[in-house]
Amino acid sequence: RTPSRYERDAVLLVVVDAAGAPGNPTGLPIYTNLLGASDRSARLISFEAGIRASIAPGWSLDIAGYHNDYADMASAAFGSVAPIFVEGIPFPVALDSNIDLVAEGSVDTWGGEVTLAGQLQPWWQVQLNWSHFNYSVGENAVTGQPYNLLTQPSASPRNQFKASSAIDFSNDISFNADLRHIGEIAGGMVPAYFTADVRLSASPLPNLELSLIGENLFEARHIEFYEPGYPAPVGFVPRSVAAEVRYRF
């Protein structure tokens, strides 16, 4: 993909590290700026394969796998550090640190997915799905450390599982339920969670649908995403219950 305007031209004050704070061994506050300097499109070599089989009447099994080799990914690289002076004070009061976004990062990702779908009864359909994701970040030849990628693969869960059930009690009444398990992300900053969504629908008239919906039912709230590289508040997804009326015309 081509670099975004953010990756090419951003000038962003990312964080201020107070003097003596963890990660700041100096006696001065550090103002860290992120400067977009990525001038090349990322390159991808991708391999995918899959198979689908009918294993019994009304039942199918899907298996898929992939391997992606990314190069020239936007990554953060140390740029420069300069002292900040204030008029009338002969010594620096802070440090100005620049981090450049450059197109030099690399990462390999691979994984797979298995889906089993079928009918327990003509009116009852079920589906089981499991997916796995793994990755390996390349090392910078100069520093010997992994690239600090703008898009961190650790922001994706390694394992996800979903079980779905769809029951048609009649032509007018249906019940759908999903159970989901999502693995931890960001090195455990977002814990793994297990939750459920349900929906009961009825159509008393041809164009009218009434529904009761529950989402994320097992906890009052949970975290779904966290960005360690940007000092933003952590967002939570709450449990929710709703009623819906839908009329089609």
Side-chain angles (χ1 to χ4, degrees):
R1 66 177 180 84
T2 57
S4 66
R5 292 183 61 188
Y6 174 82
E7 295 166 45
R8 295 194 307 260
D9 302 315
V11 179
L12 178 65
L13 176 61
V14 180
V15 69
V16 178
D17 290 318
N24 180 7
T26 72
L28 298 173
I30 298 178
Y31 292 80
T32 302
N33 304 291
L34 186 64
L35 306 179
S38 183
D39 58 354
R40 297 194 304 276
S41 298
R43 296 183 292 112
L44 167 65
I45 300 175
S46 179
F47 302 91
E48 300 178 3
I51 186 172
R52 170 177 291 181
S54 178
I55 57 176
W59 288 84
S60 65
L61 179 65
D62 291 74
I63 302 175
Y66 64 89
H67 184 280
N68 297 323
D69 181 2
Y70 295 91
D72 294 341
M73 296 283 290
S75 60
F78 176 75
S80 62
V81 174
I84 300 175
F85 289 92
V86 174
E87 185 176 356
I89 301 177
F91 51 83
V93 297
L95 297 175
D96 189 48
S97 173
N98 291 330
I99 296 177
D100 297 330
L101 282 178
V102 293
E104 64 178 17
S106 64
V107 61
D108 288 349
T109 66
W110 63 92
E113 184 173 13
V114 179
T115 301
L116 175 66
Q119 292 183 335
L120 296 177
Q121 297 291 337
W123 42 268
W124 187 1
Q125 300 184 35
V126 296
Q127 180 173 294
L128 300 176
N129 175 270
W130 171 74
S131 63
H132 177 72
F133 169 79
N134 212 330
Y135 65 90
S136 176
V137 179
E139 291 186 355
N140 188 308
V142 176
T143 65
Q145 298 298 315
Y147 287 108
N148 186 10
L149 300 174
L150 176 63
T151 303
Q152 291 287 343
S154 62
S156 296
R158 291 183 181 268
N159 291 286
Q160 300 184 69
F161 174 79
K162 182 178 180 180
S164 301
S165 171
I167 300 175
D168 293 322
F169 294 108
S170 67
N171 292 333
D172 301 325
I173 300 176
S174 63
F175 177 73
N176 297 320
D178 293 333
L179 295 175
R180 293 180 286 122
H181 177 269
I182 310 297
E184 68 176 27
I185 66 174
M189 296 299 296
V190 177
Y193 64 90
F194 181 63
T195 191
D197 304 327
V198 297
R199 182 186 185 101
L200 177 63
S201 300
S203 298
L205 298 174
N207 296 331
L208 179 65
E209 183 181 70
L210 308 176
S211 301
L212 290 175
I213 305 166
E215 296 181 335
N216 303 299
L217 296 178
F218 289 170
E219 295 179 289
R221 64 178 190 171
H222 66 265
I223 307 174
E224 285 194 354
F225 183 75
Y226 174 73
E227 175 51 67
Y230 187 76
V234 175
F236 292 86
V237 177
R239 176 193 295 132
S240 65
V241 177
E244 181 181 89
V245 179
R246 182 178 298 180
Y247 185 78
R248 298 181 177 88
F249 57 91

